[in-house]
Amino acid sequence: MTQDATDGTDDARPRSRGPRRRPADNPPIALVTGASSGIGAATADRLAAAGWRLLLSGTDQTRLDAVAARTGGRPLPADLAKPDGAQRLAEAALAAAGRVDALIASAGLGWRGPFAETPGDTLDRMLEVNLAAPLRLARLLLPGMLERDRGRIVLLGSIAGQVGVRDEAAYAATKAGLTMFAESLWYELRGTGVGVRLILPGAVATPFFATRGTDYQRERPRPVSAEAVADLVHAAITTGRDRAFLPHWLDFPARIHGAAPGFFRRMAARFG
């Protein structure tokens, strides 16, 4: 996917129209996964401030209810680690609102340690939540978007899925899968009113590291705030920019890795 320095669109391809402005009594509707904390909760706050109607999914009922209360959203508890979790959530979202104009797939799990020591159930949950659930949700919600000729699918990837990270092989693999899904889906959706957006943050200051079992231990990139990611998500929905890094300079190591992977590996091994 390409991006322009101004609005992220490429003059050589048709511009995606996306969710059109609606009257105040008929606002656009977003389904946000992982909305009970971290990036998902911050995104809910950001979209609520922009006038979106929200469908909020998460596994922590108490926190989810709190986010729903302050944003006016509809809580839809769901366990996306279960194979039928995405289908149940999509059905509940459509039953509650009739349509979904933007899917924000921000739910994610991690684990740090040697791949050979990864607990089997942890690996299964990461594959389901990080990769399978976003694909399943997109498959279920995309037909309605295409029928209406408008919509956004926003995927929360990671720099780990661009360059790989030692002791995070499984997590990086799930995020790399999202990258290729976004890239491939972009070609399919070109020329329609539906767009796919890929957000690629480095470390984010959220409960993610506590839940994965180890604190963030690298000097760079320094963790960014969940609110900064939420701002980028909102910008990705409302503009033609289809791929965005945070911090923005992470685009540089990703490009180096793509152009000279051997050199990148040597530098990563030396400097960590």
Side-chain angles (χ1 to χ4, degrees):
M1 289 183 285
T2 60
Q3 66 183 51
D4 181 80
T6 53
D7 66 358
T9 58
D10 186 337
D11 290 338
R13 70 177 190 258
R15 293 176 184 265
S16 176
R17 293 180 291 278
R20 304 186 182 103
R21 291 185 179 274
R22 294 175 176 272
D25 60 348
N26 189 24
I29 301 169
L31 170 60
V32 184
T33 69
S36 55
S37 66
I39 294 172
T43 298
D45 290 334
R46 183 66 182 85
L47 294 182
W52 284 68
R53 180 181 171 190
L54 300 176
L55 305 172
L56 305 172
S57 174
T59 55
D60 188 315
Q61 181 74 64
T62 301
R63 291 183 178 180
L64 189 64
D65 287 343
V67 175
R70 71 171 182 259
T71 61
R74 172 79 175 267
L76 299 175
D79 186 356
L80 296 179
K82 296 181 178 179
D84 65 345
Q87 181 169 346
R88 288 178 177 271
L89 175 57
E91 291 173 351
L94 294 175
R99 70 175 196 274
V100 171
D101 298 310
L103 165 65
I104 319 297
S106 60
L109 301 173
W111 189 84
R112 186 174 188 273
F115 181 70
E117 298 176 12
T118 308
D121 60 338
T122 299
L123 176 59
D124 291 343
R125 287 179 62 83
M126 276 195 291
L127 289 169
E128 287 291 338
V129 175
N130 297 4
L131 182 57
L135 268 65
R136 290 181 178 130
L137 285 169
R139 182 183 66 83
L140 294 164
L141 298 175
L142 186 56
M145 294 181 184
L146 289 171
E147 182 179 353
R148 295 185 299 275
D149 195 32
R150 60 175 177 266
R152 290 286 186 266
I153 295 174
V154 183
L155 305 171
L156 266 295
S158 169
I159 186 61
Q162 303 291 300
V163 302
V165 179
R166 180 177 178 174
D167 288 337
E168 295 184 42
Y171 174 77
T174 62
K175 295 302 184 178
L178 279 186
T179 294
M180 289 300 101
F181 173 60
E183 187 80 10
S184 301
L185 190 59
W186 180 87
Y187 292 111
E188 292 186 29
L189 298 179
R190 184 184 184 191
T192 73
V194 183
V196 59
R197 306 290 186 248
L198 180 64
I199 308 299
L200 297 161
V204 184
T206 70
F208 172 86
F209 295 104
T211 57
R212 79 170 185 174
T214 57
D215 293 332
Y216 184 68
Q217 299 173 343
R218 300 178 183 275
E219 291 186 4
R220 294 184 180 179
R222 294 182 182 277
V224 299
S225 69
E227 289 74 19
V229 181
D231 287 342
L232 195 58
V233 169
H234 178 256
I237 293 174
T238 55
T239 70
R241 191 175 187 181
D242 49 40
R243 180 171 177 164
F245 290 85
L246 190 69
H248 300 301
W249 61 262
L250 285 178
D251 176 62
F252 179 70
R255 289 179 182 271
I256 295 297
H257 180 272
F263 172 77
F264 182 91
R265 291 190 193 106
R266 290 193 297 274
M267 292 300 98
R270 181 176 180 181
F271 298 108

